[in-house]
Amino acid sequence: MSSPTSGIVYRPRRLRTTPRMRRLVAEHRLHAADLVLPLFVKEGIDAPAPIASMPGQVQHTEASLRDAVAEAARAGVGGVMLFGIPAERDATGTAGDGPDGILQRGLRVAREAVAAVEGETGAPGPVVMADTCLDEFTDHGHCGVLADDGTVDNDATLERYATMAVAQARAGADVVSPSGMMDGQVAVIRDALDDAGFADVSVLAYSAKYASAFYGPFRDAVDSALQGDRRTYQMDAANSREGLREADLDLAEGADMVMVKPAGTSLDVLRGVADRSDVPVAAYQVSGEYAMIEAAAANGWIDRRAAVLESVLAIKRAGADVVLTYWATEIAEWIK
Ligand code: PBG
């Protein structure tokens, strides 16, 4: 008598029989060096301030930023992405490009912390990246400057991004990351960096960035002043082809890396961009994705560690070479 499955030639379950077999045949793996930790540094506070909607994350002082970057460096994290929260805001986001603006101060601190740990360990530390956008610096909270009719003025904003990018490069950013979804932002920033003598500073373009409800906790993290939404510049979640087109444009403008964001709700777009991109592809697991898992875990509804690892692995599986995640240091410690 033959068994019910004797006619089956190939049994996929064979490769799932033991942990050692599953480890051998895993197609994707998490590496600390593929992870980038987003960090917030705030001007004028004397102690780190917890972010209520992002349990475990804080607005850093310069001193606590130094410690967080050093911790990430020792854990082997591949990059840090800095956001600055200024004490004063105005219509054009003046604090965004001053040499002593909080983001520039944070970048210098981060570079020092990376150099210190590299000196101790002899291993490469995290690449230092800066968010190149005006929304943290404007009093209206938009990612650009406004025209008289209240709309975001694309070309006037590009001039601001160019000076911001140069200020960030001067402060030590290895990578500048335009996240405002203005048309032409990569080309303008590339030109400005080259003209200022920063040909080696890379541009990580937020290429397919969707207007998303999942940025909600981030708005708390940066004390955002925004009323309304960003739907005239960020993409509509209904569109996928348009995300590929945006990535193509950024590649043509000279982006060194392209990004899709939010990661978890754009895995199809991420796969599409990864398939056509010949530069590294990043994906940003955003504040709302972080908050959802943290909240469910805090209620005992989900296994926190398993959910964190699965969520990031899924983003890699969809095609990301680099993942920005608020869990970067913690994951790096787990997988050491
Ligand atoms: C813009 C920017 C935002 C995020 C990263 N860069 C906010 C926005 O576009 O509204 C969101 C990141 C997150 O939610 O974790 N400076």
Side-chain angles (χ1 to χ4, degrees), residues 129-140:
M129 308 181 175
D131 185 65
T132 310
C133 196
L134 282 172
D135 63 312
E136 291 92 13
F137 301 100
T138 52
D139 53 12
H140 45 74

Side-chain angles (χ1 to χ4, degrees), residues 4-332:
T5 54
S6 63
I8 297 176
V9 176
Y10 181 65
R11 293 170 174 251
R13 285 186 58 190
R14 271 184 207 124
L15 296 183
R16 301 175 198 145
T17 46
T18 60
R20 68 176 75 93
M21 185 62 88
R22 292 194 294 273
R23 184 180 67 172
L24 177 71
V25 303
E27 294 176 40
H28 299 279
R29 299 171 203 278
L30 298 180
H31 292 283
D34 296 336
L35 304 177
V36 173
L37 176 67
L39 289 163
F40 304 101
V41 57
K42 182 169 175 174
E43 188 169 33
I45 52 172
D46 48 24
I51 302 162
S53 51
M54 299 180 72
Q57 302 299 311
V58 300
Q59 297 173 323
H60 283 286
T61 64
E62 287 173 60
S64 71
L65 177 72
R66 188 183 302 274
D67 295 343
V69 173
E71 190 190 11
R74 288 198 189 92
V77 167
V80 290
M81 171 70 79
L82 266 55
F83 297 89
I85 307 150
E88 306 284 340
R89 295 175 154 143
D90 61 21
T92 57
T94 308
D97 56 4
D100 287 320
I102 185 62
L103 184 46
Q104 280 66 259
R105 294 217 300 266
L107 289 165
R108 287 194 288 266
V109 163
R111 279 301 288 261
E112 284 166 19
V114 169
V117 176
E118 285 179 339
E120 273 168 38
T121 64
V127 168
V128 174
M129 308 181 175
D131 185 65
T132 310
C133 196
L134 282 172
D135 63 312
E136 291 92 13
F137 301 100
T138 52
D139 53 12
H140 45 74
H142 275 294
C143 294
V145 294
L146 304 184
D148 291 341
D149 64 0
T151 59
V152 174
D153 183 333
N154 194 84
D155 293 7
T157 299
L158 294 183
E159 292 176 28
R160 299 288 300 121
Y161 287 179
T163 57
M164 272 188 94
V166 170
Q168 293 170 346
R170 275 203 185 104
D174 300 304
V175 176
V176 299
S177 313
S179 63
M181 291 299 284
M182 295 301 127
D183 295 333
Q185 60 188 12
V186 172
V188 166
I189 286 173
R190 182 72 270 156
D191 277 354
L193 289 172
D194 291 350
D195 288 351
F198 294 106
D200 286 340
V201 170
S202 301
V203 179
L204 164 57
Y206 285 67
S207 297
K209 178 175 177 181
Y210 288 87
S212 173
F214 295 99
Y215 306 151
F218 177 96
R219 307 259 163 101
D220 290 344
V222 299
D223 305 334
S224 175
L226 182 70
Q227 307 283 325
D229 60 55
R230 307 197 195 286
R231 292 181 184 278
T232 69
Y233 42 105
Q234 297 181 346
M235 287 178 49
D236 187 332
N239 298 347
S240 53
R241 271 193 310 235
E242 190 188 351
L244 306 180
R245 174 83 174 124
E246 284 278 10
D248 287 347
L249 289 169
D250 286 351
L251 291 167
E253 288 178 32
D256 300 288
M257 297 180 257
V258 290
M259 197 200 295
V260 175
K261 176 187 176 188
T265 51
S266 325
L267 296 178
D268 56 330
V269 181
L270 177 56
R271 167 47 58 200
V273 170
D275 284 346
R276 66 212 277 135
S277 170
D278 47 16
V279 303
V281 175
Y284 198 142
Q285 183 178 52
V286 301
S287 57
E289 299 176 78
Y290 175 87
M292 284 194 295
I293 290 179
E294 289 292 344
N299 276 293
W301 296 338
I302 195 172
D303 176 337
R304 180 175 181 274
R305 180 164 168 160
V308 166
L309 291 171
E310 184 179 329
S311 68
V312 177
L313 189 59
I315 294 166
K316 291 218 70 181
R317 194 184 67 222
D321 302 297
V322 170
V323 182
L324 286 82
T325 172
Y326 297 96
W327 291 299
T329 302
E330 194 173 5
I331 293 173

